[in-house]
């Protein structure tokens, strides 16, 4: 959830179970405020860092690009860490151009290695280089499996939620991400209380110490 711009919807998310995590855009006007509130309510906080997409569009301030040098990337991450207190991980906002660059992502992972952060890859492109880029660092990488709201149609969001449940049943876990859109919030409010008995809601950070492999891993989660 890219937080910091929509207090009404975001406050509804903060009332959800604390295993629902919150990704905060570091330059958003409410970034610090939302991070503190989320943390106080027990939610895991991530930095939602803009990274350059392949598509041509106006980029947000301090968007990471593959041609930036290490010092510039370190500065942007350091400022983001200062703007988003209590963060434990970093998650990319857009980023198909950046995440598919091994050289670019190596600089990101080297910078992240100075913090005890994990990287949650939004997988905006199939050939993301986050895992090879993290080699030789202590940074652990998690990958998004389901986008809840590529379409903001409420039925489509429900289908995506059900898909995340099925993948978790099959593989032992599934990470789903979405935005604080009204319909996404509504679907979560409706469907989280109806999760099947064999599904447990966990924070992304709780997956870091699990042996994550595909195939049925029993009833671990």
């Amino acid at each position: 959830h890219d937080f910091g711009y929509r207090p009404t919807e975001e406050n509804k998310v903060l009332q959800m179970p604390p295993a629902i995590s919150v990704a905060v855009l570091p330059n958003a006007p409410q970034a610090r405020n939302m991070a503190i509130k989320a943390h106080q309510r027990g939610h895991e906080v991530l930095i939602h860092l803009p990274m350059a997409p392949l598509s041509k569009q106006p980029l947000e301030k301090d968007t990471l690009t593959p041609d930036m040098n290490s010092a510039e990337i370190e500065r942007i991450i350091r400022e983001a860490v200062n703007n988003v207190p209590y963060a434990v991980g970093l998650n990319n906002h857009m980023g198909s151009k950046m995440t598919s660059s091994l050289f670019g992502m190596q600089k990101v992972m080297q910078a992240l290695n100075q913090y005890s952060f994990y990287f949650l890859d939004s997988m905006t492109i199939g050939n993301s280089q986050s895992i090879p880029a993290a080699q030789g660092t202590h940074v652990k990488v998690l990958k998004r499996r389901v986008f809840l709201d590529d379409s903001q149609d409420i039925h489509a969001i429900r289908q995506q939620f059900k898909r995340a449940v099925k993948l978790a049943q099959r593989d032992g876990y599934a990470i789903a991400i979405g935005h604080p859109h009204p319909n996404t919030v509504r679907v979560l409010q409706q469907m989280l209380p109806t999760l099947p008995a064999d599904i447990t809601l966990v924070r992304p950070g709780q997956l870091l110490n699990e042996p994550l492999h595909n195939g049925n891993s029993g009833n671990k989660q």
Side-chain angles (χ1 to χ4, degrees):
H1 287 280
D2 39 10
F3 261 54
Y5 287 97
R6 312 171 189 217
T8 316
E9 299 306 320
E10 291 165 12
N11 281 316
K12 290 179 189 166
V13 174
L14 294 185
Q15 285 154 25
M16 289 178 194
I20 301 289
S21 299
V22 168
V24 179
L25 284 155
N27 288 322
Q30 292 294 316
R32 172 172 297 276
N33 194 10
M34 291 316 290
I36 292 170
K37 271 171 82 163
H39 175 77
Q40 285 170 341
R41 297 199 172 181
H43 299 272
E44 202 160 88
V45 175
L46 294 95
I47 294 167
H48 196 52
L49 200 65
M51 295 192 188
L54 287 165
S55 55
K56 289 269 175 279
Q57 51 183 293
L59 298 180
E60 298 183 43
K61 174 178 175 273
D62 286 345
T63 297
L64 297 188
T65 63
D67 51 11
M68 278 179 177
N69 63 34
S70 294
E72 180 76 346
I73 287 176
E74 282 174 19
R75 175 192 68 77
I76 289 171
I77 289 177
R78 186 168 59 244
E79 288 177 8
V81 170
N82 289 334
N83 286 348
V84 184
Y86 303 111
V88 295
L90 189 87
N91 163 243
N92 58 300
H93 172 64
M94 301 192 296
S96 47
K97 182 176 185 179
M98 183 66 178
T99 55
S100 58
S101 161
L102 179 60
F103 184 52
M105 289 308 289
Q106 281 171 330
K107 290 178 278 193
V108 172
M109 296 303 177
Q110 295 295 332
L112 281 187
N113 203 32
Q114 302 164 34
Y115 307 90
S116 49
F117 282 2
Y118 62 84
F119 182 73
L120 171 56
D121 195 330
S122 299
M123 294 303 292
T124 53
I125 193 164
N127 68 331
S128 173
Q129 299 297 306
S130 56
I131 288 181
Q135 283 176 355
T137 73
H138 299 295
V139 182
K140 290 183 174 170
V141 176
L142 295 168
K143 287 183 170 185
R144 183 271 313 167
R145 290 296 302 279
V146 174
F147 261 129
L148 292 172
D149 50 15
D150 271 339
S151 154
Q152 290 186 43
D153 172 71
I154 197 149
H155 304 290
I157 299 169
R158 277 200 196 104
Q159 286 311 115
Q160 289 299 90
F161 186 95
K162 288 177 186 163
R163 196 169 147 253
V165 169
K166 286 199 173 74
L167 285 169
Q169 286 169 327
R170 191 191 76 188
D171 297 339
Y173 73 102
I175 296 173
I177 63 181
H179 303 86
H181 298 314
N183 277 352
T184 311
V185 169
R186 194 167 301 133
V187 168
L188 289 173
Q189 286 172 330
Q190 289 167 353
M191 296 186 77
L192 286 171
T194 70
L195 277 173
D198 60 345
I199 296 286
T200 309
L201 218 47
V202 296
R203 300 171 176 82
Q206 288 171 264
L207 295 173
L208 295 174
N209 304 316
E210 296 283 348
L212 296 185
H213 48 77
N214 287 339
N216 193 351
S217 51
N219 57 2
K220 201 171 56 213
Q221 269 135 30

